[in-house]
Amino acid sequence: RGTPEPDMTPDERRERHILVVDDDRASADNLRDYLERSGFAAVAIYGLAAFAEQLQTQVFDGIVIDWLFGAQTSAEAIRAVRASENPDAPIFVLTGELLTGKASESEISQVIRNYDVACYEKPARMAILVADLSKRLNRP
């Protein structure tokens, strides 16, 4: 594909479909809105069951997913993405629970190593997340 284009227009980025998955509706909606303002086509869903359903019916160019959904982690969902029609889609894991101990640093580290995901702590710096997402979507 050659050299990535660093300055994509909003129309070029709009073709990129990003899925935001978080059981906190406000967080998911805020990130979806920010992605849309940044020129992406974004969808927010609010749980792992809905995520599994979406993955069966639609291909996404990138996924931003919370780590914890109650007592369940998103590790299995991440494995499903890597086995999907777009296994190379960039995946960003968000967590606000490392300091509380609810999220396991070692579990997240293992998922990062095994499935090539990026991890950001909440509250995520949205401009940095979008810049990283844009970069990963444009790499050759």
Side-chain angles (χ1 to χ4, degrees), residues 9-77:
T9 67
D11 285 338
E12 290 169 323
R13 277 197 307 254
R14 192 160 312 286
E15 300 304 315
R16 305 296 188 159
H17 295 276
I18 310 301
L19 182 62
V20 178
V21 189
D22 196 324
D23 54 0
D24 178 335
R25 285 181 175 267
S27 292
D29 292 346
N30 287 339
L31 182 51
R32 178 203 58 218
D33 294 347
Y34 188 88
L35 287 164
E36 287 179 345
R37 286 192 306 274
S38 299
F40 291 95
V43 174
I45 58 173
Y46 313 107
L48 292 175
F51 171 76
E53 233 173 78
Q54 281 283 340
L55 202 57
Q56 297 299 317
T57 60
Q58 191 169 350
V59 175
F60 291 94
D61 298 301
I63 293 156
V64 182
I65 189 167
D66 194 22
W67 178 246
L68 286 178
F69 291 82
Q72 194 174 2
T73 71
S74 58
E76 193 56 45

Coordinates of all heavy atoms in Angstrom, one line a residue, residues 9-77:
T9 N -8.6 13.2 5.1 CA -9.7 14.1 5.3 C -10.8 13.4 6.1 O -10.8 12.2 6.2 CB -10.3 14.5 3.9 OG1 -10.9 13.3 3.3 CG2 -9.2 15.1 3.0
P10 N -11.7 14.2 6.6 CA -12.8 13.6 7.4 C -13.6 12.6 6.5 O -14.0 11.5 7.0 CB -13.7 14.7 7.8 CG -12.7 15.9 7.9 CD -11.7 15.6 6.8
D11 N -13.8 12.9 5.2 CA -14.5 11.9 4.3 C -13.7 10.6 4.2 O -14.4 9.5 4.2 CB -14.7 12.5 2.9 CG -15.7 13.6 2.9 OD1 -16.6 13.6 3.8 OD2 -15.7 14.4 2.0
E12 N -12.4 10.6 4.2 CA -11.6 9.4 4.1 C -11.8 8.6 5.4 O -11.9 7.4 5.4 CB -10.2 9.7 3.8 CG -10.0 10.2 2.4 CD -8.6 10.8 2.2 OE1 -8.0 11.4 3.1 OE2 -8.0 10.6 1.1
R13 N -11.7 9.3 6.5 CA -11.8 8.7 7.8 C -13.3 8.2 8.1 O -13.4 7.2 8.7 CB -11.4 9.6 8.9 CG -10.0 9.7 9.1 CD -9.7 10.3 10.5 NE -10.3 11.5 10.7 CZ -9.7 12.7 10.6 NH1 -8.4 12.8 10.4 NH2 -10.4 13.8 10.9
R14 N -14.3 8.8 7.5 CA -15.7 8.4 7.8 C -15.9 7.0 7.4 O -16.8 6.3 7.9 CB -16.6 9.4 7.1 CG -18.0 9.2 7.5 CD -18.9 10.4 7.3 NE -18.5 11.7 7.6 CZ -18.4 12.1 8.9 NH1 -18.7 11.4 9.9 NH2 -17.9 13.4 9.1
E15 N -15.1 6.5 6.4 CA -15.3 5.2 6.0 C -14.9 4.2 7.1 O -15.1 3.0 7.0 CB -14.5 4.9 4.7 CG -14.9 5.8 3.5 CD -16.4 5.7 3.2 OE1 -16.9 4.5 3.1 OE2 -17.0 6.7 3.0
R16 N -14.2 4.6 8.0 CA -13.7 3.8 9.1 C -14.7 3.6 10.2 O -15.2 4.6 10.8 CB -12.4 4.4 9.8 CG -11.3 4.6 8.8 CD -10.8 3.4 8.1 NE -9.6 3.7 7.3 CZ -8.8 2.8 7.0 NH1 -8.9 1.5 7.3 NH2 -7.7 3.1 6.3
H17 N -15.2 2.4 10.4 CA -16.3 2.1 11.4 C -15.6 1.6 12.7 O -14.9 0.6 12.7 CB -17.2 1.1 10.8 CG -18.0 1.5 9.6 ND1 -19.1 2.3 9.7 CD2 -17.7 1.4 8.3 CE1 -19.5 2.6 8.5 NE2 -18.7 2.1 7.6
I18 N -15.9 2.4 13.7 CA -15.3 2.1 15.0 C -16.5 1.7 16.0 O -17.5 2.4 16.1 CB -14.6 3.3 15.6 CG1 -13.6 3.9 14.6 CG2 -13.9 3.0 16.9 CD1 -12.6 3.0 14.1
L19 N -16.2 0.6 16.7 CA -17.2 0.2 17.7 C -16.7 0.5 19.1 O -15.5 0.2 19.4 CB -17.4 -1.4 17.6 CG -18.4 -2.0 18.5 CD1 -19.8 -1.4 18.3 CD2 -18.4 -3.5 18.4
V20 N -17.5 1.1 19.9 CA -17.2 1.5 21.3 C -18.1 0.6 22.2 O -19.3 0.6 22.0 CB -17.5 3.0 21.6 CG1 -17.2 3.3 23.0 CG2 -16.7 3.9 20.6
V21 N -17.4 -0.1 23.1 CA -18.2 -1.1 24.0 C -17.9 -0.7 25.4 O -16.7 -0.8 25.8 CB -17.8 -2.5 23.7 CG1 -18.7 -3.5 24.4 CG2 -17.8 -2.8 22.2
D22 N -18.9 -0.3 26.1 CA -18.7 0.0 27.6 C -20.1 -0.1 28.2 O -21.1 0.3 27.7 CB -18.2 1.4 27.7 CG -17.6 1.7 29.0 OD1 -18.1 1.2 30.1 OD2 -16.6 2.5 29.1
D23 N -20.1 -0.7 29.4 CA -21.4 -0.8 30.1 C -21.8 0.5 30.8 O -22.9 0.6 31.3 CB -21.4 -2.0 31.1 CG -20.2 -2.0 32.1 OD1 -19.4 -1.0 32.1 OD2 -20.2 -2.9 32.9
D24 N -20.9 1.5 30.8 CA -21.2 2.8 31.3 C -21.7 3.6 30.0 O -20.9 4.0 29.2 CB -20.0 3.5 31.9 CG -20.3 4.9 32.4 OD1 -21.2 5.6 31.8 OD2 -19.5 5.4 33.3
R25 N -23.0 3.8 29.9 CA -23.6 4.4 28.7 C -23.0 5.8 28.4 O -22.7 6.1 27.3 CB -25.1 4.5 28.8 CG -25.8 3.2 28.6 CD -27.3 3.3 28.7 NE -28.0 2.1 28.4 CZ -28.4 1.7 27.2 NH1 -28.3 2.6 26.2 NH2 -29.0 0.6 27.0
A26 N -22.8 6.6 29.5 CA -22.3 7.9 29.3 C -20.9 7.9 28.7 O -20.6 8.7 27.8 CB -22.4 8.7 30.6
S27 N -20.1 7.0 29.2 CA -18.7 6.9 28.7 C -18.7 6.5 27.2 O -18.0 7.1 26.4 CB -17.9 5.9 29.5 OG -17.7 6.4 30.8
A28 N -19.5 5.5 26.9 CA -19.6 5.0 25.6 C -20.1 6.0 24.6 O -19.5 6.2 23.5 CB -20.4 3.7 25.5
D29 N -21.2 6.7 25.0 CA -21.8 7.7 24.2 C -20.8 8.9 24.0 O -20.7 9.5 22.9 CB -23.1 8.2 24.8 CG -24.2 7.1 24.7 OD1 -24.0 6.1 24.0 OD2 -25.2 7.3 25.4
N30 N -20.1 9.3 25.0 CA -19.2 10.4 24.9 C -18.0 10.1 23.9 O -17.7 10.9 23.1 CB -18.6 10.8 26.3 CG -19.6 11.5 27.1 OD1 -20.5 12.1 26.7 ND2 -19.3 11.5 28.4
L31 N -17.5 8.9 24.0 CA -16.4 8.5 23.1 C -16.9 8.4 21.7 O -16.3 8.8 20.8 CB -15.8 7.2 23.6 CG -14.6 6.7 22.8 CD1 -13.5 7.8 22.6 CD2 -13.9 5.5 23.4
R32 N -18.1 7.8 21.5 CA -18.7 7.7 20.2 C -18.9 9.1 19.6 O -18.5 9.3 18.4 CB -20.1 7.0 20.3 CG -20.8 6.9 18.9 CD -22.3 6.8 19.0 NE -22.8 7.9 19.7 CZ -23.8 7.8 20.6 NH1 -24.4 6.6 20.8 NH2 -24.3 8.9 21.2
D33 N -19.4 10.0 20.4 CA -19.6 11.4 19.8 C -18.3 12.0 19.5 O -18.2 12.7 18.4 CB -20.3 12.2 20.9 CG -21.8 11.7 21.1 OD1 -22.3 10.9 20.3 OD2 -22.4 12.2 22.1
Y34 N -17.2 11.8 20.3 CA -15.9 12.4 20.0 C -15.4 11.8 18.7 O -14.8 12.5 17.9 CB -15.0 12.1 21.2 CG -13.7 12.9 21.0 CD1 -13.6 14.2 21.5 CD2 -12.6 12.3 20.4 CE1 -12.4 14.9 21.3 CE2 -11.4 13.0 20.2 CZ -11.3 14.3 20.6 OH -10.1 15.0 20.5
L35 N -15.5 10.5 18.5 CA -15.0 9.8 17.3 C -15.8 10.4 16.1 O -15.1 10.6 15.1 CB -15.2 8.3 17.4 CG -14.2 7.6 18.4 CD1 -14.7 6.2 18.7 CD2 -12.8 7.5 17.7
E36 N -17.1 10.6 16.2 CA -17.8 11.1 15.1 C -17.4 12.5 14.8 O -17.3 12.9 13.6 CB -19.3 11.0 15.4 CG -19.9 9.6 15.3 CD -21.3 9.5 15.6 OE1 -21.9 10.4 16.2 OE2 -21.9 8.4 15.3
R37 N -17.1 13.3 15.8 CA -16.7 14.7 15.6 C -15.3 14.7 14.9 O -14.9 15.6 14.2 CB -16.6 15.5 16.9 CG -18.0 15.9 17.3 CD -17.9 17.0 18.4 NE -17.1 16.6 19.6 CZ -17.6 15.9 20.6 NH1 -18.8 15.5 20.7 NH2 -16.8 15.6 21.6
S38 N -14.5 13.6 15.1 CA -13.2 13.4 14.6 C -13.2 12.8 13.2 O -12.2 12.6 12.6 CB -12.3 12.6 15.5 OG -12.2 13.2 16.8
G39 N -14.4 12.6 12.7 CA -14.6 12.1 11.3 C -14.8 10.6 11.1 O -14.8 10.1 10.0
F40 N -14.9 9.9 12.2 CA -15.1 8.4 12.1 C -16.6 8.1 12.1 O -17.4 8.9 12.6 CB -14.5 7.7 13.2 CG -13.0 7.7 13.2 CD1 -12.3 8.7 13.9 CD2 -12.3 6.8 12.4 CE1 -10.9 8.7 13.8 CE2 -10.9 6.8 12.3 CZ -10.2 7.8 13.1
A41 N -17.0 7.0 11.6 CA -18.4 6.4 11.8 C -18.3 5.6 13.0 O -17.6 4.6 13.0 CB -18.8 5.6 10.6
A42 N -19.0 5.9 14.1 CA -18.8 5.2 15.4 C -20.2 4.7 15.9 O -21.2 5.4 15.7 CB -18.2 6.1 16.4
V43 N -20.2 3.6 16.5 CA -21.3 3.0 17.1 C -21.0 2.7 18.6 O -19.9 2.1 18.9 CB -21.7 1.7 16.4 CG1 -22.9 1.0 17.1 CG2 -22.1 1.9 14.9
A44 N -21.9 3.0 19.5 CA -21.7 2.6 20.9 C -22.7 1.5 21.3 O -23.9 1.6 20.9 CB -22.0 3.8 21.8
I45 N -22.2 0.5 21.9 CA -23.0 -0.6 22.5 C -22.6 -0.7 24.0 O -21.5 -0.3 24.4 CB -23.0 -1.9 21.7 CG1 -21.6 -2.4 21.6 CG2 -23.6 -1.7 20.3 CD1 -21.5 -3.8 21.0
Y46 N -23.5 -1.4 24.8 CA -23.3 -1.3 26.2 C -23.1 -2.6 26.9 O -23.4 -2.7 28.1 CB -24.5 -0.5 26.8 CG -24.8 0.7 25.9 CD1 -25.9 0.8 25.1 CD2 -24.0 1.8 26.0 CE1 -26.2 1.9 24.3 CE2 -24.2 3.0 25.2 CZ -25.3 3.0 24.4 OH -25.5 4.1 23.6
G47 N -22.7 -3.6 26.3 CA -22.4 -4.9 27.0 C -21.8 -5.9 26.1 O -21.8 -5.8 24.8
L48 N -21.3 -7.0 26.7 CA -20.6 -8.0 25.9 C -21.5 -8.9 25.1 O -21.1 -9.3 24.0 CB -19.8 -8.9 26.9 CG -18.6 -8.2 27.6 CD1 -18.0 -9.1 28.6 CD2 -17.6 -7.7 26.6
A49 N -22.7 -9.1 25.5 CA -23.7 -9.9 24.7 C -24.0 -9.1 23.4 O -24.0 -9.6 22.3 CB -24.9 -10.2 25.4
A50 N -24.3 -7.8 23.5 CA -24.5 -7.0 22.4 C -23.3 -6.9 21.5 O -23.4 -6.9 20.2 CB -25.0 -5.6 22.8
F51 N -22.1 -6.9 22.1 CA -20.9 -6.9 21.3 C -20.8 -8.1 20.4 O -20.5 -8.1 19.2 CB -19.7 -6.7 22.2 CG -18.4 -6.9 21.5 CD1 -17.8 -5.9 20.7 CD2 -17.7 -8.1 21.6 CE1 -16.6 -6.1 20.1 CE2 -16.5 -8.3 20.9 CZ -16.0 -7.3 20.2
A52 N -21.0 -9.3 21.0 CA -20.9 -10.5 20.3 C -21.9 -10.6 19.1 O -21.6 -11.0 18.1 CB -21.2 -11.7 21.3
E53 N -23.1 -10.0 19.4 CA -24.1 -9.9 18.3 C -23.6 -9.1 17.2 O -23.7 -9.4 16.0 CB -25.4 -9.3 18.9 CG -26.6 -10.2 18.7 CD -27.8 -9.6 19.4 OE1 -28.3 -8.5 19.0 OE2 -28.1 -10.1 20.5
Q54 N -23.1 -7.9 17.5 CA -22.6 -6.9 16.5 C -21.5 -7.6 15.7 O -21.4 -7.4 14.5 CB -22.1 -5.7 17.1 CG -23.1 -4.7 17.5 CD -23.7 -3.9 16.4 OE1 -23.1 -3.8 15.3 NE2 -24.9 -3.4 16.6
L55 N -20.6 -8.3 16.3 CA -19.4 -8.9 15.7 C -19.9 -9.9 14.6 O -19.2 -10.2 13.7 CB -18.5 -9.5 16.7 CG -17.1 -9.7 16.3 CD1 -16.4 -8.4 15.9 CD2 -16.3 -10.3 17.5
Q56 N -21.0 -10.6 14.9 CA -21.6 -11.6 13.9 C -22.1 -10.9 12.7 O -22.2 -11.6 11.6 CB -22.7 -12.4 14.6 CG -22.2 -13.2 15.8 CD -21.1 -14.2 15.4 OE1 -21.2 -14.9 14.4 NE2 -20.1 -14.3 16.2
T57 N -22.6 -9.7 12.8 CA -23.3 -9.1 11.7 C -22.6 -7.9 11.0 O -23.0 -7.5 9.9 CB -24.7 -8.5 12.1 OG1 -24.5 -7.6 13.2 CG2 -25.5 -9.7 12.7
Q58 N -21.5 -7.4 11.6 CA -20.9 -6.2 11.0 C -19.3 -6.4 11.2 O -18.9 -6.9 12.2 CB -21.4 -5.0 11.6 CG -20.9 -3.7 10.9 CD -21.6 -2.5 11.4 OE1 -22.6 -2.5 12.1 NE2 -21.2 -1.3 11.0
V59 N -18.6 -5.8 10.3 CA -17.2 -5.8 10.4 C -16.8 -4.4 10.8 O -17.2 -3.4 10.2 CB -16.5 -6.2 9.0 CG1 -15.0 -6.0 9.1 CG2 -16.9 -7.6 8.6
F60 N -15.9 -4.3 11.8 CA -15.5 -3.0 12.3 C -14.0 -2.8 12.0 O -13.2 -3.7 12.0 CB -15.8 -2.8 13.8 CG -17.2 -2.8 14.1 CD1 -17.9 -3.9 14.4 CD2 -17.9 -1.5 14.0 CE1 -19.3 -3.8 14.7 CE2 -19.2 -1.5 14.3 CZ -19.9 -2.6 14.6
D61 N -13.6 -1.5 11.7 CA -12.2 -1.2 11.4 C -11.4 -1.1 12.7 O -10.2 -1.2 12.7 CB -12.2 0.1 10.6 CG -12.9 -0.1 9.3 OD1 -12.5 -1.0 8.5 OD2 -13.8 0.7 9.0
G62 N -12.1 -0.8 13.8 CA -11.4 -0.6 15.1 C -12.4 -0.7 16.2 O -13.6 -0.5 16.0
I63 N -11.9 -1.1 17.4 CA -12.7 -1.4 18.5 C -12.1 -0.7 19.8 O -10.9 -0.9 20.0 CB -12.9 -2.9 18.7 CG1 -13.7 -3.4 17.6 CG2 -13.6 -3.2 20.1 CD1 -13.6 -4.9 17.3
V64 N -12.9 0.0 20.5 CA -12.5 0.5 21.8 C -13.4 -0.2 22.8 O -14.7 0.0 22.7 CB -12.7 2.0 21.9 CG1 -12.2 2.6 23.2 CG2 -11.9 2.7 20.7
I65 N -12.9 -0.9 23.8 CA -13.7 -1.7 24.7 C -13.2 -1.6 26.1 O -12.0 -1.5 26.4 CB -13.6 -3.2 24.2 CG1 -14.7 -4.0 25.0 CG2 -12.2 -3.8 24.2 CD1 -14.9 -5.4 24.4
D66 N -14.1 -1.5 27.0 CA -13.8 -1.4 28.4 C -13.3 -2.8 28.8 O -13.6 -3.8 28.2 CB -15.1 -1.0 29.2 CG -14.8 -0.6 30.6 OD1 -13.7 -0.2 30.9 OD2 -15.7 -0.7 31.5
W67 N -12.5 -2.8 29.9 CA -11.9 -4.1 30.3 C -12.9 -4.9 31.2 O -13.1 -6.1 31.0 CB -10.6 -3.9 31.1 CG -10.0 -5.1 31.6 CD1 -9.9 -5.5 32.9 CD2 -9.5 -6.2 30.9 NE1 -9.3 -6.7 33.1 CE2 -9.1 -7.2 31.8 CE3 -9.4 -6.5 29.5 CZ2 -8.5 -8.4 31.4 CZ3 -8.8 -7.7 29.1 CH2 -8.4 -8.7 30.1
L68 N -13.6 -4.2 32.1 CA -14.5 -4.9 33.0 C -15.9 -4.6 32.7 O -16.4 -3.5 32.5 CB -14.2 -4.4 34.5 CG -12.9 -4.9 35.1 CD1 -12.8 -4.3 36.5 CD2 -12.9 -6.5 35.2
F69 N -16.7 -5.7 32.7 CA -18.2 -5.7 32.6 C -18.7 -6.5 33.8 O -18.8 -7.7 33.7 CB -18.6 -6.3 31.3 CG -18.2 -5.5 30.1 CD1 -16.9 -5.5 29.6 CD2 -19.1 -4.6 29.5 CE1 -16.6 -4.7 28.5 CE2 -18.8 -3.8 28.4 CZ -17.5 -3.9 27.9
G70 N -18.9 -5.8 34.9 CA -19.2 -6.5 36.1 C -18.0 -7.3 36.6 O -16.9 -6.8 36.7
A71 N -18.2 -8.6 36.8 CA -17.1 -9.5 37.2 C -16.4 -10.1 36.0 O -15.3 -10.8 36.1 CB -17.6 -10.6 38.1
Q72 N -16.9 -9.8 34.8 CA -16.3 -10.4 33.5 C -15.4 -9.4 32.9 O -15.6 -8.2 32.8 CB -17.5 -10.8 32.6 CG -17.1 -11.7 31.5 CD -18.4 -12.1 30.7 OE1 -19.5 -11.7 31.0 NE2 -18.1 -12.9 29.7
T73 N -14.3 -9.9 32.3 CA -13.4 -9.1 31.5 C -13.7 -9.2 30.0 O -14.5 -10.1 29.6 CB -11.9 -9.5 31.7 OG1 -11.7 -10.7 31.0 CG2 -11.5 -9.6 33.2
S74 N -13.1 -8.3 29.2 CA -13.4 -8.4 27.8 C -12.4 -9.3 27.1 O -12.4 -9.3 25.8 CB -13.3 -6.9 27.2 OG -12.1 -6.3 27.5
A75 N -11.6 -10.1 27.8 CA -10.6 -10.9 27.2 C -11.2 -11.9 26.1 O -10.7 -12.0 25.0 CB -9.9 -11.8 28.2
E76 N -12.3 -12.5 26.4 CA -13.0 -13.4 25.4 C -13.5 -12.6 24.2 O -13.4 -13.1 23.1 CB -14.1 -14.1 26.1 CG -14.6 -15.3 25.3 CD -13.5 -16.3 24.9 OE1 -12.7 -16.7 25.8 OE2 -13.5 -16.8 23.8
A77 N -14.0 -11.4 24.4 CA -14.4 -10.6 23.3 C -13.3 -10.2 22.4 O -13.4 -10.2 21.2 CB -15.1 -9.4 23.9

